[in-house]
């Protein structure tokens, strides 16, 4: 089993910054892709950013230029640096970690609340 622990959420004013972290532990024999998703009230969960084992990144159009995803394989941790936050970024943020390549298994974090409000 793999456990994910997220941290870094909270309340921030518009224009502010937050850094989310997601640390994986347990039976991690090979880390594949890692990513962050978010779900706002009344909306479906959506991909925010992802990073492959080769460090290729992908971002939702709504966060391009403001958010940066990175990973530290030595710490089995994925980060999401969020700058220039807007009210519409308010959501519960979930990390997703894929372990293995063939086969692979996906694991989800418990979610961390990000609220952008003045």
């Amino acid at each position: 089993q793999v456990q994910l622990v997220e941290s870094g959420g909270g309340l921030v004013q518009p224009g502010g910054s937050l850094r989310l972290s997601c640390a994986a532990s347990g039976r991690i024999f090979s880390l594949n892709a890692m990513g962050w998703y978010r779900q706002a009230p009344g909306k479906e969960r959506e991909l925010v950013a992802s990073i492959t084992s080769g460090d290729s990144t992908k971002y939702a159009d709504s966060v391009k230029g403001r958010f940066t995803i990175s990973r530290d394989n030595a710490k089995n941790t994925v980060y999401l640096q969020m700058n220039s936050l807007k009210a519409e970024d308010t959501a519960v943020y979930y990390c997703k970690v894929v372990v293995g390549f063939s086969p692979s298994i996906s694991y989800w974090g418990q979610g961390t609340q990000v609220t952008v409000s003045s």
Side-chain angles (χ1 to χ4, degrees), residues 41-90:
K43 295 187 177 181
E44 294 186 354
R45 189 173 298 187
E46 62 175 356
L47 173 69
V48 176
S50 63
I51 183 168
T52 69
S53 58
D55 288 337
S56 293
T57 58
K58 179 180 179 180
Y59 295 92
D61 288 342
S62 59
V63 307
K64 283 180 181 177
R66 300 188 298 121
F67 290 11
T68 302
I69 189 170
S70 61
R71 60 192 285 168
D72 184 336
N73 292 326
K75 296 181 179 180
N76 294 331
T77 299
V78 61
Y79 305 96
L80 185 67
Q81 178 66 45
M82 305 185 294
N83 298 328
S84 302
L85 283 161
K86 304 175 181 179
E88 50 263 43
D89 294 318
T90 296

Side-chain angles (χ1 to χ4, degrees), residues 7 15-16 18 21 24 27 29 34 45 47 49-51 58-60 73 82 90 95 99 101 106-107 109 113 116:
S7 60
L18 283 175
S21 300
R27 292 176 58 84
F29 44 91
M34 308 175 84
R45 189 173 298 187
L47 173 69
S50 63
I51 183 168
K58 179 180 179 180
Y59 295 92
N73 292 326
M82 305 185 294
T90 296
C95 70
V99 176
F101 289 83
S106 295
Y107 296 90
Q113 177 70 45
V116 184

